């Protein structure tokens, strides 16, 4: 009898713990959706197509008749050797630079989706203000109602684990903290597309893990993510598919597991083996 009662009590405690964990998970999901889900679905802007893109700098051709398509939801990693033009793809699709010829289309339309793109550069660029003021400024630019901004900025700080740094000068943070703040600021406007240019290239494993956690949560809330990375481990942890770029040409997009184990091209195989490090 005593054993049966003990077993029953043990089962009840386990069920209560599971219910509490599920409740906590559901709360996180709901709060993430409220904070990160895009204001407008980005599906209406997919696929993104580059058609006949030509781009040159100082008489050096970077792209000659570049054609590509980005249509999948989730996280797409862009990989390739230094000088291949990975970062320029991000800048072209975000409208930060214009091609010499060709066009970038969003679901067949040439207009850039207004307020739908969040961009994180490899090197953080922050205002000479506090951590929280950087977020409040981003929320203001996103036309978030003034009364909502303190709550939204606090929620973003909690998402990034930066509540204790709210009043710290942004430019005096560590490199990892600055990059985390830059990512949170990009997400403040609830973009449909998040563009990341090697966001953890110079960060230690702990700082990288914190960045990846935020990116993963944004993706789970419906944000399309484009990520330039050289880190095969990061691609395996985050990306749903990989686009390989070499000498200004884009190779066929592959699911991440397939790309890392059986790359479709000889160049991609050499790159993953460390044999192809520069153009």
């Amino acid at each position: 009898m005593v054993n049966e009662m003990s077993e029953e009590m043990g089962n009840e405690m386990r069920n209560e713990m599971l219910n509490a964990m599920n409740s906590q998970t559901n709360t996180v999901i709901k709060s993430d959706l409220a904070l990160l889900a895009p204001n407008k679905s980005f599906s209406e802007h997919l696929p993104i197509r580059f058609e006949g893109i030509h781009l040159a700098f100082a008489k050096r051709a970077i792209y000659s008749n570049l054609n590509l398509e980005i249509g999948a939801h989730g996280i797409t990693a862009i990989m390739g050797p230094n000088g291949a033009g990975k970062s320029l793809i991000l800048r072209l699709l975000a409208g930060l630079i214009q091609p010499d010829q060709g066009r970038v289309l969003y679901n067949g339309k040439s207009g850039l989706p207004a307020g739908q793109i969040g961009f994180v550069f490899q090197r953080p660029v922050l205002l000479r203000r506090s951590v929280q003021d950087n977020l409040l400024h981003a929320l203001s630019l996103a036309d978030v109602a003034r009364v909502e901004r303190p709550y939204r900025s606090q929620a973003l700080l909690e998402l990034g684990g930066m509540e204790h740094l709210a009043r710290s000068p942004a430019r005096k943070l560590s490199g990892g903290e600055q990059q985390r703040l830059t990512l949170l600021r990009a997400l403040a406007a609830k973009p449909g597309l998040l563009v990341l240019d090697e966001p953890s290239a110079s960060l230690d494993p702990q700082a990288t893990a914190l960045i990846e956690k935020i990116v993963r949560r944004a993706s789970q809330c419906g944000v399309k993510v484009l990520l330039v990375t050289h880190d095969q481990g990061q691609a395996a942890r985050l990306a749903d598919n990989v686009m390989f770029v070499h000498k200004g040409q884009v190779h066929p997009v592959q699911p991440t597991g397939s790309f890392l184990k059986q790359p479709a091209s000889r160049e991609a195989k050499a790159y993953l083996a460390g044999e192809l490090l520069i153009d």
Side-chain angles (χ1 to χ4, degrees), residues 87-277:
S87 296
L88 291 175
I89 289 176
L90 302 186
R91 284 161 172 73
L92 282 164
L93 68 84
L96 299 179
I97 58 174
Q98 297 300 317
D100 300 320
Q101 295 180 42
R103 57 184 185 168
V104 178
L105 299 176
Y106 285 84
N107 195 20
K109 299 177 182 178
S110 57
L112 198 67
Q116 284 274 62
I117 302 175
F119 205 116
V120 176
F121 296 93
Q122 185 174 346
R123 294 183 180 179
V125 180
L126 298 167
L127 300 175
R128 293 181 183 276
R129 302 182 184 184
S130 71
V131 169
Q132 187 156 28
D133 282 343
N134 267 265
L135 295 176
L136 289 170
H137 180 71
L139 291 167
S140 174
L141 292 177
D143 291 326
V144 174
R146 184 182 294 272
V147 69
E148 293 183 25
R149 293 174 202 167
Y151 305 104
R152 287 273 293 275
S153 65
Q154 184 62 32
L156 287 164
L157 289 169
E158 291 173 4
L159 173 67
M162 303 187 74
E163 310 99 301
H164 61 295
L165 297 170
R167 297 188 179 183
S168 300
R171 293 191 176 185
K172 292 190 177 181
L173 299 176
S174 69
E177 290 166 345
Q178 286 192 17
Q179 194 65 304
R180 220 181 324 156
L181 176 57
T182 304
L183 176 55
L184 295 174
R185 192 177 59 182
L187 290 169
K190 303 179 73 172
L193 174 64
L194 180 62
V195 179
L196 307 169
D197 190 0
E198 297 191 60
S200 57
S202 58
L203 304 184
D204 62 35
Q206 183 178 10
T208 296
L210 291 170
I211 292 287
E212 291 179 359
K213 181 180 179 180
I214 298 170
V215 172
R216 192 177 296 110
R217 287 170 71 171
S219 175
Q220 290 168 348
C221 290
V223 179
K224 170 65 185 174
V225 180
L226 294 178
L227 165 72
V228 167
T229 183
H230 284 287
D231 186 341
Q232 295 181 39
Q234 184 169 73
R237 291 188 297 271
L238 285 180
D240 299 295
N241 48 68
V242 176
M243 174 186 295
F244 180 71
V245 184
H246 175 56
K247 290 187 176 180
Q249 294 298 318
V250 172
H251 294 225
V253 176
Q254 292 184 258
T256 304
S258 298
F259 175 79
L260 295 175
K261 293 178 182 178
Q262 295 180 315
S265 68
R266 175 180 55 82
E267 293 86 354
K269 183 177 181 180
Y271 167 77
L272 293 174
E275 299 170 9
L276 185 63
L277 300 178

